[in-house]
């Protein structure tokens, strides 16, 4: 791959709040702990006070979650190292999209693993374990039940409800799997030899990244939820997280920024098999929406103690939950994730949990050989790839036309004729001036119409060049959305099984530029 970079701002894909965070604007300093610079991780390591009992729960739970997967000695050592006080994690999280979903899932994990390796070199006295936090408790199945490849959508349809990690890979899934007959064997094995979606995702992620030491964590576990009990109580019974998150949100909005998430009085869902719904309180009764489940206050207090796994945090409290069960010093996410973490520092401070370095994943656009060729033919630099298409088309036609497509000179000459004639006619009859001005307006409209015809004729003459730009745009913005948010990584992996390995070579976890990656040979080309 040939790598170049552009400023994220020129791509038009990021909010002002995200860009200001990358620029370390002073007004945002109170919304985070340390900015993700290499030297700041030493401060995070020094300030980390993670309970040893939580480490023991983490190791025991992960060993249980990995049962049934053959692990080599190095990986078993990776799990065991989490019990040591000098071991820290760097984490990313994502939904259980089918077949990994969009490209940026892979980018997240590569960024996380590379950061762990970078920190290990900079701080050799400590161990760093990259972690993928599976969003097994999410219940929005419509967001994850498909993936797209080369313009085609592959979708699994099922009537199952509740936390998606518990979805069974039943007959409907086996039928869906048959439609993906091009999938690599490791996908087929993971899905066909697993009972649930979470089990399958762990298996194929381990296949792809286990050798790099990536540990997959499923937060939907009773042992982990025991650690969260104090937060569940404070949220359901006192609404403290809502108050703290709202304070930060109000401050950000006062600075002119838009919120990414919206805290509620209660930020937990009630969860059991086939059900994950919001909890609301009315008087002394807690109601689970869209169900007949309800509890009196004393009943829900008892349930929190006996079955904390029935309570599932929403986006406001999931980050805190993650940091309570992991000795984490960095969270790597997309631009929207980075923004909503800035709304949550007050929640962390209240519960006395260290706020990690919050950093964006690497961003990338991959260009195959044919697209690179078209870019060169049009003389486009990398920034031009993100320019407004309508503006580019007008500018390109004007620059390469054999005549002035706007008929600027002709319009000026015509206007001058009417103005001079009106002045002479005015001496004869003052009412003639208005007649000439009206005629000038009509003539100008005719010239505009003719200019449009000239532009269309020139666009037709330049059709080959314009079609090249159309093809480039479709490749980098399939369906109008950024490539990394649409295309599945199999678009490139099926042509080059070392595709992920190439990403490891070019991704720089602490460089927040937007990368343009150009494939050097026929691998990955279309």
């Amino acid at each position: 791959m040939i790598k170049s970079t552009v400023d994220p701002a020129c791509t038009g894909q990021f909010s002002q709040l995200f860009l200001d965070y990358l620029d370390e604007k002073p007004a945002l300093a109170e919304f985070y702990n340390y900015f993700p610079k290499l030297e700041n991780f030493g401060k995070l390591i020094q300030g980390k006070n993670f309970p040893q009992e939580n480490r023991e729960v983490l190791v025991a739970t992960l060993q249980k979650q990995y049962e049934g997967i053959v692990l080599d000695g190095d990986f078993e050592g990776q799990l065991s190292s989490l019990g040591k006080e000098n071991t820290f994690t760097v984490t990313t999280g994502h939904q259980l999209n089918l077949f990994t979903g969009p490209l940026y899932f892979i980018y997240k994990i590569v960024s996380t693993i590379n950061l762990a390796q970078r920190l290990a070199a900079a701080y050799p006295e400590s161990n760093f374990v990259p972690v993928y936090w599976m969003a097994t408790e999410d219940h929005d199945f419509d967001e994850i039940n498909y993936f797209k490849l080369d313009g085609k959508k592959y979708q699994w349809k099922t009537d199952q409800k509740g936390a998606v990690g518990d979805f069974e890979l039943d007959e409907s899934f086996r039928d869906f799997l048959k439609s993906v007959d091009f999938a690599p064997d490791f996908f087929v094995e993971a899905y066909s030899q697993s009972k649930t979606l979470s089990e399958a995702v762990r298996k194929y992620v381990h296949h792809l990244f286990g050798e790099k030491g990536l540990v997959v964590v499923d937060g939907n576990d009773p042992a982990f939820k025991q650690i969260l009990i104090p937060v569940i109580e404070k949220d359901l019974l006192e609404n403290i997280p809502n108050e703290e998150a709202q304070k930060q949100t109000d401050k950000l909005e006062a600075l002119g920024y838009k919120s990414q998430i919206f805290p509620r009085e209660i930020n937990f869902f009630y969860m059991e098999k086939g059900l994950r719904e919001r909890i609301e309180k009315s008087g002394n009764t807690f109601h689970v929406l869209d169900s007949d489940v309800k509890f009196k206050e004393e009943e829900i207090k008892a349930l929190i103690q006996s079955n904390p796994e029935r309570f599932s945090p929403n986006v406001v409290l999931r980050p805190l939950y993650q940091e309570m069960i992991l000795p984490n010093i960095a969270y790597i996410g997309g631009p929207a994730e980075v923004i909503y973490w800035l709304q949550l520092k007050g929640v962390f401070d209240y519960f006395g949990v260290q706020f990690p370095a919050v950093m964006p994943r690497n961003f990338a656009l991959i260009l195959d050989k044919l697209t690179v060729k078209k870019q060169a033919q049009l003389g486009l630099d990398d920034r031009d790839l993100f320019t407004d298409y309508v503006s580019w088309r007008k500018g390109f036609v004007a620059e390469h036309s054999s005549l002035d497509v706007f008929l600027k000179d002709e319009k000026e000459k015509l206007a001058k004729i009417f103005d001079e004639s009106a002045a002479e006619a005015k001496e004869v009859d003052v009412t003639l001036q208005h007649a000439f001005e009206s005629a000038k307006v009509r003539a100008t409209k005719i010239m505009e119409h003719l200019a449009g015809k000239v532009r269309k004729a020139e666009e037709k003459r330049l059709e080959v060049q314009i079609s090249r730009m159309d093809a480039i745009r479709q490749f980098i913005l399939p369906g109008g959305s950024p490539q990394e948010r649409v295309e599945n990584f199999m678009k490139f992996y099926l042509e080059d099984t070392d595709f992920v390995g190439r990403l490891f070579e070019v991704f720089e976890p602490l460089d927040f530029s937007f990368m343009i990656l150009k494939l050097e040979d026929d691998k990955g080309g279309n």
Side-chain angles (χ1 to χ4, degrees):
M1 292 180 178
I2 299 174
K3 172 184 172 181
S4 60
T5 61
V6 297
D7 188 322
C10 84
T11 68
Q13 297 178 13
F14 305 102
S15 71
Q16 192 58 52
L17 175 52
F18 178 74
L19 296 173
D20 287 350
Y21 176 68
L22 293 188
D23 289 338
E24 298 182 72
K25 291 294 179 66
L28 295 177
E30 67 174 294
F31 297 95
Y32 57 92
N33 193 356
Y34 293 106
F35 191 77
K37 295 180 179 179
L38 190 60
E39 61 269 23
N40 285 341
F41 285 98
K43 302 171 186 176
L44 287 161
I45 292 169
Q46 188 173 9
K48 193 69 177 178
N49 183 22
F50 192 76
Q52 184 60 33
E53 57 268 29
N54 289 17
R55 288 185 181 274
E56 294 171 3
V57 170
L58 176 62
V59 172
T61 304
L62 285 175
Q63 289 172 339
K64 182 188 67 176
Q65 290 186 357
Y66 271 91
E67 288 178 357
I69 299 178
V70 178
L71 306 177
D72 60 27
D74 289 342
F75 193 85
E76 289 181 341
Q78 187 84 325
L79 292 181
S80 298
S81 74
L82 289 166
K84 301 176 181 178
E85 64 178 11
N86 68 332
T87 296
F88 305 93
T89 60
V90 293
T91 302
T92 192
H94 197 68
Q95 296 167 296
L96 306 186
N97 295 75
L98 298 183
F99 291 86
T100 75
L103 268 167
Y104 71 87
F105 171 78
I106 300 295
Y107 296 171
K108 276 184 168 184
I109 293 183
V110 173
S111 301
T112 302
I113 293 172
N114 275 359
L115 177 63
Q117 293 176 348
R118 183 76 180 277
L119 294 178
Y123 300 97
E125 69 281 0
S126 299
N127 305 313
F128 300 93
V129 176
V131 167
Y132 162 48
W133 177 286
M134 293 194 296
T136 56
E137 296 181 37
D138 280 4
H139 64 272
D140 196 342
F141 182 61
D142 290 341
E143 289 187 357
I144 69 159
N145 68 350
Y146 67 94
F147 71 95
K148 293 182 178 179
L149 183 62
D150 292 327
K152 184 175 180 180
K153 184 176 183 179
Y154 298 85
Q155 186 174 23
W156 172 32
K157 296 181 180 180
T158 178
D159 294 329
Q160 297 180 64
K161 303 292 184 182
V164 297
D166 292 335
F167 277 28
E168 297 177 359
L169 304 182
D170 55 13
E171 189 66 31
S172 68
F173 186 85
R174 289 190 285 274
D175 289 341
F176 162 72
L177 191 59
K178 293 175 184 178
S179 70
V180 194
D181 55 3
F182 50 82
D185 289 343
F186 69 84
F187 274 131
V188 177
E189 291 174 5
Y191 282 121
S192 61
Q193 297 177 12
S194 299
K195 293 181 179 180
T196 63
L197 187 57
S198 62
E199 181 183 349
V201 173
R202 181 187 298 277
K203 287 178 179 177
Y204 73 63
V205 170
H206 183 72
H207 173 88
L208 284 168
F209 301 105
E211 289 184 357
K212 296 285 188 179
L214 181 77
V215 172
V216 179
V217 175
D218 183 352
N220 186 11
D221 194 288
F224 289 152
K225 290 292 177 69
Q226 285 286 334
I227 296 172
L228 193 61
I229 286 176
V231 177
I232 303 174
E233 291 177 329
K234 287 292 184 180
D235 184 71
L236 268 70
L237 305 177
E238 299 180 46
N239 308 136
I240 297 297
N242 175 55
E243 295 175 9
E244 296 299 330
Q246 195 59 55
K247 289 176 186 177
Q248 294 291 90
T249 300
D250 291 344
K251 290 178 182 178
L252 280 171
E253 291 181 350
L255 292 172
Y257 298 114
K258 293 182 179 180
S259 301
Q260 185 66 38
I261 57 173
F262 302 94
R264 299 178 181 276
E265 287 191 357
I266 294 177
N267 293 284
F268 276 93
F269 294 88
Y270 178 80
M271 186 171 66
E272 57 185 43
K273 182 65 175 178
L275 176 68
R276 184 179 186 252
E277 292 290 346
R278 281 176 44 214
I279 302 170
E280 288 191 351
K281 185 179 181 182
S282 177
N284 193 41
T285 303
F286 292 83
H287 301 265
V288 178
L289 300 187
D290 298 324
S291 78
D292 296 327
V293 181
K294 60 181 63 177
F295 304 95
K296 294 298 184 182
E297 186 166 311
E298 291 305 315
E299 292 174 329
I300 207 162
K301 284 181 180 180
L303 187 65
I304 292 171
Q305 295 296 324
S306 63
N307 296 92
E309 69 276 8
R310 298 279 183 88
F311 300 91
S312 176
N314 70 2
V315 67
V316 172
L317 289 175
R318 193 275 305 159
L320 178 70
Y321 177 38
Q322 169 192 294
E323 299 301 308
M324 292 177 72
I325 67 172
L326 294 174
N328 200 50
I329 58 171
Y331 183 78
I332 296 91
E337 290 177 283
V338 170
I339 290 172
Y340 76 63
W341 274 76
L342 299 183
Q343 295 178 242
L344 302 178
K345 186 173 181 296
V347 178
F348 280 75
D349 291 345
Y350 178 86
F351 287 101
V353 177
Q354 185 191 60
F355 197 75
V358 179
M359 53 192 292
R361 62 173 172 83
N362 286 126
F363 303 99
L365 168 64
I366 298 172
L367 303 183
D368 65 3
K369 190 176 181 181
L370 184 57
T371 304
V372 171
K373 181 180 179 181
K374 290 174 180 175
Q375 180 186 4
Q377 289 171 331
L378 291 175
L380 301 173
D381 64 28
D382 289 338
R383 289 177 58 91
D384 291 334
L385 295 171
F386 304 98
T387 192
D388 176 71
Y389 175 72
V390 174
S391 299
W392 174 86
R393 183 168 179 152
K394 288 182 178 179
F396 183 83
V397 171
E399 181 181 352
H400 294 84
S401 293
S402 56
L403 65 153
D404 176 17
V405 296
F406 299 106
L407 301 181
K408 181 179 178 182
D409 290 342
E410 288 78 4
K411 291 176 185 176
E412 290 178 351
K413 291 176 182 178
L414 185 64
K416 184 177 180 181
I417 291 172
F418 275 99
D419 289 341
E420 291 176 349
S421 299
E424 294 176 358
K426 179 181 178 182
E427 299 300 323
V428 178
D429 185 341
V430 69
T431 61
L432 291 175
Q433 182 178 12
H434 178 70
F436 274 92
E437 289 176 351
S438 298
K440 175 184 173 182
V441 171
R442 292 195 298 273
T444 300
K445 290 181 179 179
I446 292 172
M447 291 300 291
E448 287 285 357
H449 180 69
L450 292 173
K453 287 182 173 293
V454 172
R455 285 196 297 272
K456 288 182 180 179
E458 288 289 7
E459 286 179 0
K460 186 174 182 179
R461 185 176 68 82
L462 298 168
E463 185 176 359
V464 172
Q465 293 94 321
I466 292 174
S467 66
R468 287 175 183 152
M469 187 59 162
D470 290 340
I472 291 173
R473 297 288 290 181
Q474 182 54 38
F475 192 85
I476 69 177
L477 291 168
S481 297
Q483 178 195 76
E484 62 178 18
R485 294 189 166 274
V486 177
E487 292 287 4
N488 184 268
F489 91 111
M490 283 190 286
K491 180 179 181 68
F492 304 102
Y493 181 87
L494 292 175
E495 294 291 332
D496 177 11
T497 55
D498 193 36
F499 170 68
V500 176
R502 294 186 181 210
L503 296 180
F504 278 111
E505 294 174 359
V506 296
F507 276 23
E508 295 287 345
L510 295 172
D511 180 357
F512 307 133
S513 302
F514 192 105
M515 290 181 290
I516 313 295
L517 304 178
K518 300 176 182 179
L519 301 180
E520 299 176 80
D521 50 39
D522 290 333
K523 290 181 178 180
N526 291 331

